[in-house]
Amino acid sequence: MQQGKQGVMVIPQQNQNPIEQLQARFKELESGFKGWLAKQSLPVEAAVVTLTSGAQGAAIGAFMGTLTNDVSSSLPTPPPQAGLNPQAMASFKQAQALAGGPLIQARNFAVMTGVNAGISCVMKRLRGKDDVQSSMVAAFGSGALFSLVSGMGGPNQAANAATSGLFFALVQGGLFKLGQKFSQPPTEDIYYSKTRSMLSNLGLQNYEKNFKKGLLSDNTLPLLNDSALRDVKIPPGPRLLILDHIQRDPEIKERRGFSS
């Protein structure tokens, strides 16, 4: 600390971590960009989202292409007089599309990510929500266009595009549902919210598993006694703190009065 001219103690400001400053600046710019984008018309928002997502996909694809460049260069190119049947030629094109160099992979990833993000943006604006149906529609569009652009269409490009779009939609829908399942808290947590809050306030959150093991849910808080806490193997000290809290808590005391 340093003493100012008028005898006031001045605490020098600590230097903030440069990485934290950069992260804070990035979040500020991102928040401002999203706020500006939300005020735009649907065509402008969809175009901007498609272009930015496509650029990100192109960067990822170019990097992936550098890893698969050696594989694509090792694929033999059949001469024109080889006379391959359409199915064999389609298989060869599919191998080239999946193992292409940086430019090919940048194009493929740009189409997939850009189209997916653009359709998702339009569906969310029109339907007012982001659900599994919107996600599957966006995935279908990106899969179908990827099939056409990458040259994986084979003899019947339209049918193959529809098949690829359907495959993308099913995968995306499954991933969406899986993400929803794991993002939701377990059902049993609903019945232990007050118990968890009480234990956290007392610094005894480690004993939440004891309550759950003994099925001591929020509804049992007004009925708790030393014997019940001892049965779930909670030590004497924490038992006293819990019982004292229950006796002092006005909401639990009121519920105890009704139960009696």
Side-chain angles (χ1 to χ4, degrees):
M1 294 185 295
Q2 299 178 354
Q3 188 171 0
K5 294 182 179 180
Q6 299 181 357
V8 180
M9 301 300 292
V10 180
I11 301 177
Q13 185 177 5
Q14 296 181 351
N15 294 328
Q16 191 177 8
N17 190 324
I19 298 179
E20 293 180 353
Q21 290 180 341
L22 185 61
Q23 292 176 340
R25 180 59 178 167
F26 177 78
K27 290 182 179 179
E28 181 180 351
L29 292 174
E30 184 182 20
S31 177
F33 176 74
K34 289 182 177 179
W36 170 83
L37 193 60
K39 299 177 183 178
Q40 305 306 310
S41 62
L42 176 57
V44 173
E45 182 183 6
V48 172
V49 169
T50 301
L51 291 175
T52 54
S53 299
Q56 295 175 358
I60 297 174
F63 173 74
M64 297 295 295
T66 59
L67 303 179
T68 60
N69 193 25
D70 294 337
V71 178
S72 62
S73 61
S74 63
L75 292 174
T77 302
Q81 65 273 17
L84 295 179
N85 61 62
Q87 290 294 340
M89 183 58 70
S91 300
F92 177 76
K93 289 183 177 181
Q94 290 176 1
Q96 283 185 322
L98 296 176
L103 293 179
I104 294 178
Q105 295 295 354
R107 178 201 63 191
N108 294 344
F109 275 77
V111 169
M112 285 191 296
T113 57
V115 173
N116 191 302
I119 297 178
S120 296
C121 174
V122 173
M123 295 293 293
K124 184 177 181 180
R125 179 72 77 92
L126 294 177
R127 304 181 71 234
K129 57 182 178 179
D130 186 14
D131 55 8
V132 64
Q133 287 85 358
S134 299
S135 180
M136 292 181 69
V137 170
F140 179 88
S142 64
L145 197 57
F146 165 75
S147 175
L148 296 175
V149 172
S150 63
M152 296 176 61
N156 192 341
Q157 292 188 349
N160 198 75
T163 303
S164 300
L166 181 60
F167 174 76
F168 274 56
L170 292 176
V171 172
Q172 183 73 11
L175 293 176
F176 191 95
K177 285 294 186 181
L178 193 63
Q180 280 186 327
K181 180 179 180 180
F182 283 99
S183 63
Q184 294 176 352
T187 306
E188 64 172 359
D189 285 351
I190 300 175
Y191 303 104
Y192 295 91
S193 58
K194 294 180 181 179
T195 301
R196 186 184 306 107
S197 176
M198 176 190 70
L199 294 175
S200 179
N201 292 335
L202 296 175
L204 304 175
Q205 54 269 26
N206 292 336
Y207 294 104
E208 181 180 347
K209 60 180 181 298
N210 299 68
F211 274 76
K212 291 182 177 180
K213 186 177 181 180
L215 301 180
L216 299 178
S217 63
D218 294 344
N219 293 331
T220 65
L221 288 180
L223 308 175
L224 282 183
N225 53 35
D226 186 77
S227 176
L229 295 176
R230 189 188 307 114
D231 289 341
V232 295
K233 303 186 183 307
I234 296 180
R239 292 204 304 266
L240 293 175
L241 293 175
I242 293 171
L243 293 175
D244 180 70
H245 176 86
I246 291 175
Q247 292 177 355
R248 295 174 182 271
D249 190 287
E251 182 180 354
I252 299 180
K253 288 175 62 178
E254 182 180 358
R255 291 172 57 191
R256 176 179 287 181
F258 281 119
S259 61
S260 59

